[in-house]
Structure formats: structure tokens, C-alpha cells
């Protein structure tokens, strides 16, 4: 088990002291209250996933900020499940044994949350699932289960909008001038909500925008750059310059497609239009360089902040009222389209 400790310790926590806290109007009646030292356990399906690792970096930063702001020590422990659900189940057990006040789970297998839910309920430890969405019925199984993520279908629609706009405005996009956008799709993991929904909505949106499409092929590359390069190389071998559009379910796979084009020594003027999703640092760089026509920003800052605020309130027994939970359980952040002209806004401000 790989355990990446990101422990934030303040002087207050180290001492575990009692502190006089001035409550309610700060009058004469100072009430002695124990300073809370909260512990948040986080387990990710794969620490090498670019988007997830950047989201966790943000989470750690926000935890540190919150600690400074609140004066409550926030100890965050991040575990890598390394693509094994049974490893992840054991990690959650360890977190609960270690006294975590709340656990944040990026499920390996989004159809297998039962063991984790049962352990959490038995020990009364709330769970925030994130990024890999479990089915609604599972989230209904206990009232202290939450989900933080994004509106998956929006990302597909926006990716399709970018592709359709390029086809309509850039005469070179239709390489063979047949009026049809010949495309391939690089898909994330089979069964992942984002992969299914992004593929479906990106293509249907291009068609809705009045652009005729022809699917040449698709390949599953599991969100992974190297796998996408391999799959793209194979498809280049088969279809060559017939490929006019690469719809990648995420930026890492779009970058894998670019790696394949470079490895095949195809000059950029002859590249297909490539669109991704996420707006990771490397993805934004490729949009800036015009290697990718655009990406769709998956708001890792918003998601990390929502997770941290929710975890903090749950761990300190605070109010969830300010958190805008849908159905009392969901926080879903919106996506945003990013083209070359918008990219600085994301690289500088985020
Ligand atoms: C998606 C993201 C992918 C990958 C995946 C992992 O939301 O776009 O890049 O991180 O989550 O579950």
C-alpha cells in the first residue's frame, strides 16, 4: 500500500491544547472548548492520473489555507489505491481505525462501493465520493454519503461545440473536402460515467450543430497518454490522413494522439483537429501552442474546494447550509470551454 502523507500540523494540533474560544458576541463569558484536530482520509484510484493528482494538490493547498484561517489543525492523509478496489477497501478500513473524521473516496470501481459504505455506516464516518460517480441508489443507502464532481454531459456538449465551430470556420479541417467530419474517439475507461457521456454528447452535439460526421473508429485508452499514443499510432496506420478529428475523452489522451503524430513525423499542418477535456496544465499548454484546437475545463479547483469545505463542516459538526448540495448529497461543478484565446485566463488565474 502506497501512502502519501500530506500532514498539515500546526502548533495547536501538536500540543492538543485547550483554548479559550470567544463565542457568541465575545462578551464576558469565555467558554473553554477543546480545539479540534480534524483528520481527513483521501484515497485515489490512481495517483498517476494527471487530473486526479492535480485535484489532490489543490485539495491539500485548500486544507492548508483552511487550517490557517480556522485555527483548527487539519490533517490530510492521501492513499493511492493503485487501481485495486480491494486495496482501496483496506485503506478506508485503516483510515477509520486511524480515527479519520471523514473519508474522501475516488472509487476504483464505481459499481463496488458497498464494502466502503457498510464500514463507514457502522463506524459513523461520513464519506465524500468524488470524480468517479457511483449510481444514485448506492448514494441513497445512508444519509452521510455525498458526491462531488462535475456535470459530465456538459463536457461532451462543449467538446462537440468546439469541434463543430472549428469545422465551420477552418476550411482546412475538412481535409478531403467532402463536407463530412471523419473522426475517431479516444475513450477513457469502459464503464466510467465521464467516458460514456462525453463520447455520446460530443458526437451528438456536432451533429446538432449541423455538421455531418463519419465515425472511422474508436479506442479505449483508459485516460492514459501512453496508451492513447499506441492506439493513435495503430489508427494512423489504418486510416492515415483520413482522420480529420480526434475527440479525446480527456487531455492526456489528446496529448497521446499528438505524441503519435509527432512520432510518425507528420507535420502539424497535416494534423487532424484534436479536442480534449480537463484543462490540465499540459493540456492548456497544448491549447496555447495550438496543437489542440481546444479543451473543456474540468474545474479541479472548484471540486477540491467543495470537497474540502464539505469535509470540514462534516468533521467539525458545522452546517452544510452554505454548500448548495443538490438533493442534500451532490455538488457538481460546471465545465467551461477553453480555446487558445481564453487559455491565459486559466493558466494565470487557476
Ligand atoms: C475524469 C477526467 C479524466 C480522469 C478521470 C478519472 O473526470 O476527465 O482525466 O482523471 O476523471 O476518473
Amino acid at each position: 500500500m502506497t501512502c502519501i502523507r500530506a500532514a498539515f500540523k500546526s502548533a495547536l494540533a501538536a500540543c492538543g491544547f485547550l483554548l479559550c474560544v470567544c463565542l457568541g458576541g465575545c462578551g464576558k463569558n469565555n467558554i473553554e472548548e477543546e480545539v479540534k484536530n480534524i483528520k481527513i482520509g483521501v484515497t485515489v484510484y490512481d495517483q498517476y492520473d494527471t487530473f486526479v493528482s492535480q485535484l489532490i494538490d489543490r485539495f491539500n493547498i485548500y486544507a492548508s489555507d483552511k487550517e490557517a484561517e480556522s485555527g483548527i489543525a487539519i490533517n490530510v492523509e492521501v492513499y493511492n489505491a493503485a487501481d485495486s478496489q480491494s486495496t482501496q477497501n483496506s485503506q478506508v478500513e485503516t483510515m477509520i481505525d486511524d480515527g479519520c473524521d471523514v473519508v474522501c473516496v475516488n472509487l476504483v470501481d464505481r459499481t463496488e462501493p458497498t464494502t466502503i459504505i457498510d464500514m463507514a455506516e457502522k463506524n459513523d464516518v461520513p464519506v465524500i465520493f468524488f470524480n468517479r460517480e457511483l449510481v444514485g441508489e448506492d448514494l441513497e443507502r445512508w444519509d452521510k454519503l455525498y458526491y462531488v464532481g462535475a456535470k459530465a454531459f456538459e463536457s461532451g456538449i462543449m467538446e462537440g461545440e468546439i469541434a463543430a465551430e472549428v469545422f465551420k470556420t477552418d476550411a482546412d479541417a475538412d481535409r478531403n473536402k467532402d463536407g463530412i467530419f471523419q473522426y475517431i474517439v479516444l475513450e477513457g475507461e469502459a464503464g466510467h460515467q465521464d467516458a460514456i457521456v462525453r463520447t455520446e454528447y460530443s458526437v451528438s452535439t456536432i451533429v446538432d450543430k449541423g455538421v455531418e460526421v463519419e465515425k472511422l473508429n474508436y479506442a479505449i485508452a483508459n485516460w492514459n497518454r501512453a496508451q492513447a499514443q499506441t492506439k493513435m499510432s495503430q489508427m494512423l496506420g489504418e486510416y492515415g490522413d483520413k482522420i480529420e478529428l480526434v475527440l479525446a475523452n480527456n487531455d492526456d489522451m489528446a496529448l497521446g494522439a499528438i505524441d503519435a503524430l509527432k512520432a510518425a513525423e507528420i507535420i502539424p499542418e497535416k494534423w487532424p483537429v484534436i479536442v480534449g477535456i480537463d484543462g490540465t496544465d499540459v493540456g492548456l499548454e497544448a491549447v496555447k501552442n495550438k496543437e489542440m484546437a481546444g479543451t473543456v475545463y474540468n474545474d479541479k479547483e472548484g471540486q477540491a474546494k467543495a470537497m474540502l469545505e464539505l469535509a470540514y463542516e462534516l468533521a467539525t459538526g458545522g452546517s452544510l447550509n452554505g454548500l448548495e448540495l443538490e438533493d442534500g448529497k451532490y455538488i457538481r461543478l460546471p465545465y467551461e470551454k477553453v480555446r487558445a484565446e481564453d487559455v491565459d485566463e486559466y493558466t494565470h488565474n487557476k
Side-chain angles (χ1 to χ4, degrees):
M1 177 177 68
T2 312
C3 169
I4 321 142
R5 282 195 75 113
F8 299 101
K9 289 188 180 157
S10 75
L12 285 175
C15 302
F17 278 158
L18 294 176
L19 183 102
C20 284
V21 181
C22 182
L23 293 176
C26 238
K28 317 138 208 163
N29 300 329
N30 285 348
I31 299 166
E32 271 199 2
E33 208 186 55
E34 191 175 353
V35 170
K36 258 192 132 187
N37 174 5
I38 68 174
K39 206 165 181 178
I40 304 171
V42 182
T43 163
V44 296
Y45 88 103
D46 173 11
Q47 75 175 95
Y48 299 107
D49 178 293
T50 309
F51 173 77
V52 170
S53 74
Q54 289 188 1
L55 188 152
I56 296 302
D57 288 347
R58 283 285 155 179
F59 184 81
N60 283 325
I61 292 168
Y62 294 141
S64 195
D65 292 349
K66 188 80 182 178
E67 180 174 76
E69 173 199 314
S70 66
I72 290 178
I74 303 178
N75 188 303
V76 179
E77 288 192 17
V78 183
Y79 292 78
N80 176 22
D83 246 328
S84 158
Q85 190 56 60
S86 66
T87 301
Q88 186 164 64
N89 295 347
S90 311
Q91 291 171 340
V92 172
E93 190 176 5
T94 306
M95 291 176 200
I96 292 174
D97 289 348
D98 282 356
C100 282
D101 300 287
V102 52
V103 295
C104 300
V105 179
N106 179 221
L107 278 169
V108 173
D109 181 346
R110 71 188 190 101
T111 66
E112 290 292 339
T114 309
T115 310
I116 290 174
I117 294 174
D118 289 349
M119 282 189 290
E121 185 173 6
K122 195 163 153 230
N123 294 280
D124 196 27
V125 176
V127 185
I128 303 172
F129 293 99
F130 66 100
N131 170 262
R132 297 160 76 87
E133 187 168 350
L134 53 172
V135 294
E137 291 76 25
D138 282 329
L139 210 65
E140 288 303 327
R141 289 178 44 189
W142 183 41
D143 60 354
K144 292 185 185 168
L145 304 176
Y146 302 88
Y147 178 74
V148 175
K151 299 177 181 169
F153 70 96
E154 254 186 27
S155 55
I157 292 175
M158 290 181 181
E159 184 173 41
E161 285 173 352
I162 294 172
E165 188 186 319
V166 175
F167 191 81
K168 288 179 181 174
T169 54
D170 177 358
D172 292 339
D174 184 14
R175 311 202 70 81
N176 62 0
K177 310 289 173 220
D178 66 351
I180 303 170
F181 219 178
Q182 274 82 15
Y183 72 94
I184 59 138
V185 189
L186 289 169
E187 295 192 4
E189 291 159 274
H192 190 299
Q193 84 281 349
D194 288 340
I196 298 165
V197 169
R198 287 173 184 173
T199 301
E200 182 187 333
Y201 280 86
S202 58
V203 176
S204 65
T205 302
I206 303 175
V207 175
D208 289 348
K209 294 279 166 194
V211 175
E212 200 177 333
V213 294
E214 180 188 349
K215 181 176 188 170
L216 297 176
N217 212 337
Y218 77 99
I220 292 176
N222 297 309
W223 310 118
N224 181 280
R225 183 168 179 161
Q227 288 183 36
Q229 177 175 354
T230 306
K231 298 285 166 75
M232 181 69 182
S233 298
Q234 286 161 1
M235 290 193 276
L236 276 174
E238 198 172 340
Y239 303 102
D241 61 6
K242 287 201 187 89
I243 304 171
E244 295 176 338
L245 169 66
V246 177
L247 289 170
N249 282 172
N250 78 343
D251 285 353
D252 262 16
M253 295 190 292
L255 292 161
I258 292 171
D259 294 338
L261 290 159
K262 288 181 178 166
E265 298 184 353
I266 298 171
I267 57 166
E269 292 70 33
K270 299 211 158 162
W271 288 7
V273 174
I274 301 166
V275 194
I277 294 177
D278 273 345
T280 54
D281 297 346
V282 270
L284 291 173
E285 196 56 41
V287 174
K288 193 175 173 117
N289 297 340
K290 309 245 170 97
E291 292 185 331
M292 274 164 64
T295 188
V296 180
Y297 204 78
N298 191 357
D299 186 0
K300 57 185 178 302
E301 288 77 14
Q303 292 165 45
K305 184 102 178 129
M307 272 167 67
L308 192 271
E309 293 297 337
L310 180 56
Y312 178 86
E313 297 302 338
L314 290 168
T316 56
S319 159
L320 305 185
N321 291 345
L323 295 173
E324 295 181 22
L325 289 162
E326 271 170 55
D327 300 329
K329 284 183 168 288
Y330 291 90
I331 301 181
R332 288 200 181 91
L333 278 293
Y335 286 92
E336 290 165 36
K337 275 188 271 187
V338 187
R339 304 288 311 271
E341 57 274 19
D342 324 302
V343 83
D344 287 340
E345 202 186 310
Y346 291 85
T347 42
H348 295 151
N349 298 341
K350 297 275 178 176

